[in-house]
Amino acid sequence: MFGLMTAAIDNILLAPALAQASAGEYLPAAAVVALCAVAAFGTVLLLPGPREGALRKIGGGVLLAAGGVLAGLIGRGDAADPAGFYFWFFAAVATIGAVRVVSHTIPVYSALYFLLTTLAGAGLMVLLWAEFLAAALVLIYAGAILVTYVFVIMLAARAQQEHDTHSREPMLASAACFAILGVLLVVILQKGSAPAATGDIAPAASPDATRTLATELFTDHIVAVELAGVLLAMAMAGAVVIGRRGAPPLAPLAPATREIIGDDNPHNIPVYGIDTARRRQA
Amino acid sequence: MNTFGEPLLQRYLVVGAVLFAVGLTGFLTRRNLIIMFLSTELMLQGVVVNLVAFGRYHHNLAGQAFALFLLVVAAAEAAVALGLVVLLYRRRGSIDAEAWRELKG
C-alpha cells in the first residue's frame, strides 16, 4: 500500500519536478513550501478555537494528509527501505502525538499524548542505537517530568475553561512556525557532499553500549556531569523556594533573651513569603 | 542495517524538525501555562532526536552525551517552571496566560 501511494505520487503529481530536483536536493523546495502552506492551513483549523468540531476534524485531516504526502515523498527512494518499518511507525506516532499535544483542549489529554510522543521518541532512540538514552527518556521524561506535570494539572486546572478552548493568534503562530519548518526542511533535504566516516559506534547487539557511553561521560565530559548535578540541586532548591507558602511567624522572644539580644530584627528585614502578612493579622 | 548514510540521517532530522515546529506552534498558540511549558518540552524532544541522529551519523557518542545533559536541563526547567505556575495560580487563581496581560511590553 505504501508502494502504491508513493508510486501514485511519483507518477501523477510530481514527475517533472522530481526529475529536475535530483541534482542538488532530495525534494524540490517548492514542494516543501507548498506542503508547509497546506499544513499551516490545516493547523489553523485544528487548533482550539471558537469553531465547531467538524472544522477541527477537517483541519486534522488536512494536516494528516500533508504529513502523509511528505512521508511518501521522503520515503519514495527506499527500494530496500533503509529506514525500516519501525522508523516510520515511531515517527508517525511521535508526530501525531505531538500534534495532539498542542491541539487538544483538555490538559490531561495533552499530557498523555506527550507521554505517547516520549515513548515513540524512545523507540527512535533504540533505532539510533542509543539504548541508554531510550531508557533515560522513559524513566526521566515519562516517569518523572510528566508525572509532575499531571500533578500540577490536577492541582491547578479545573474543568474545561476558556483558556483551554481558545488559542491566541493561531494564524500568525502557524504561519511563523511552518515558515520555520519549511526553511528547516529545505535545508535538511539537500544533498551533502561530505561522505560519512567509516566504522560505527558499536555493534547493534553489543551489551557494552552503555558502558562505552558511561566511560565517555566520565572521562571526556566529567565537568559537565558535575555541573549537571549542581544544576539539578539548584533547581530543586529553587522550586522549593518558589513554591513555598511563607515562613510561619517568628515566635516572640523570651524577656530574658530579649534583654541579652535586643531586637532580633533591627533592620526590619521582611520575612519571606506571601502569606506571612495575612498570618500576622489573623 | 550497518551504515547510517545521509538519506537515513535526513529522515531523522525531518522528524526532529517537525517535533520542534509543532512544539513552537503550541507554545505560541495555547493560553494554558502548563500546556505552554509542555510544548517547550516537546521542542526539547525534537532537539534530542536531532542530536542523537547526528551522533550516530558521525560515529561518536557526543550526541548521546549532549542529549543526556539536555534531559537534565529539561528536568530542571520543568521543576522551576511548574513551581512558577503554582505560584502564579495562587496569585490570580488562573493558569491563563492572558491573566498576566499587563506584563506585555
Side-chain angles (χ1 to χ4, degrees):
Chain A
M1 198 218 41
F2 202 63
L4 277 178
M5 183 170 86
T6 56
I9 294 173
D10 255 353
N11 298 330
I12 299 174
L13 291 176
L14 287 171
L18 285 174
Q20 286 173 9
S22 58
E25 48 198 11
Y26 284 95
L27 213 57
V32 169
V33 168
L35 275 175
C36 283
V38 169
F41 171 71
T43 309
V44 168
L45 287 184
L46 176 65
L47 284 170
R51 53 188 87 90
E52 38 185 274
L55 262 185
R56 293 192 64 205
K57 288 192 178 58
I58 292 175
V62 166
L63 200 55
L64 205 62
V69 169
L70 183 67
L73 284 174
I74 289 178
R76 74 180 181 275
D78 293 351
D81 206 10
F85 160 75
Y86 284 109
F87 166 74
W88 294 112
F89 173 69
F90 285 129
V93 169
T95 314
I96 294 175
V99 169
R100 286 312 279 155
V101 167
V102 307
S103 69
H104 211 285
T105 48
I106 304 177
V108 176
Y109 276 71
S110 285
L112 290 176
Y113 274 111
F114 186 67
L115 175 68
L116 186 65
T117 305
T118 307
L119 292 178
L124 286 176
M125 297 295 115
V126 171
L127 288 174
L128 286 169
W129 295 358
E131 296 103 358
F132 178 74
L133 202 55
L137 267 184
V138 173
L139 279 174
I140 298 174
Y141 245 107
I145 297 180
L146 272 182
V147 169
T148 311
Y149 268 100
V150 170
F151 275 144
V152 175
I153 289 173
M154 291 303 181
L155 186 66
R158 304 195 189 93
Q160 198 115 358
Q161 292 197 305
E162 196 223 342
H163 56 80
D164 284 325
T165 51
H166 287 67
S167 326
R168 40 188 180 119
E169 312 281 358
M171 280 186 275
L172 279 179
S174 296
C177 295
F178 280 94
I180 290 178
L181 179 63
V183 169
L184 280 174
L185 286 180
V186 165
V187 171
I188 287 172
L189 292 169
Q190 301 202 338
K191 286 189 183 161
S193 52
T198 53
D200 244 327
I201 315 171
S206 161
D208 282 344
T210 306
R211 178 182 300 235
T212 318
L213 177 65
T215 309
E216 164 142 353
L217 267 182
F218 280 92
T219 53
D220 288 341
H221 307 289
I222 180 64
V223 177
V225 168
E226 300 296 330
L227 284 178
V230 171
L231 175 70
L232 280 175
M234 281 190 332
M236 189 171 68
V240 167
V241 165
I242 287 174
R244 199 163 62 136
R245 269 196 186 271
L250 299 171
L253 287 178
T257 318
R258 190 169 286 281
E259 281 176 20
I260 302 174
I261 295 181
D263 187 8
D264 65 338
N265 196 2
H267 304 287
N268 289 320
I269 297 171
V271 178
Y272 179 79
I274 57 174
D275 290 330
T276 313
R278 242 180 282 154
R279 244 177 249 166
R280 271 210 206 102
Q281 289 165 13
Chain B
M1 191 57 219
N2 278 329
T3 58
F4 194 80
E6 203 175 84
L8 199 50
L9 171 69
Q10 290 181 345
R11 285 154 175 74
Y12 283 100
L13 294 187
V14 164
V15 171
V18 166
L19 282 176
F20 184 82
V22 170
L24 188 58
T25 311
F27 185 76
L28 294 178
T29 307
R30 299 299 298 261
R31 282 165 56 177
N32 192 336
L33 279 175
I34 300 174
I35 306 300
M36 280 170 63
F37 284 118
L38 210 55
S39 307
T40 311
E41 303 284 338
L42 198 53
M43 282 196 265
L44 292 175
Q45 190 83 347
V47 172
V48 164
V49 170
N50 209 333
L51 277 172
V52 178
F54 268 122
R56 172 94 154 80
Y57 180 70
H58 289 292
H59 306 294
N60 60 17
L61 287 172
Q64 294 183 31
F66 199 160
L68 269 179
F69 295 128
L70 191 57
L71 225 54
V72 167
V73 168
E77 181 238 342
V80 174
L82 290 178
L84 273 176
V85 165
V86 167
L87 187 63
L88 292 175
Y89 175 71
R90 271 193 226 137
R91 284 281 191 184
R92 293 278 165 98
S94 151
I95 47 174
D96 191 352
E98 297 291 309
W100 297 87
R101 261 195 101 84
E102 66 263 19
L103 289 175
K104 273 195 189 183

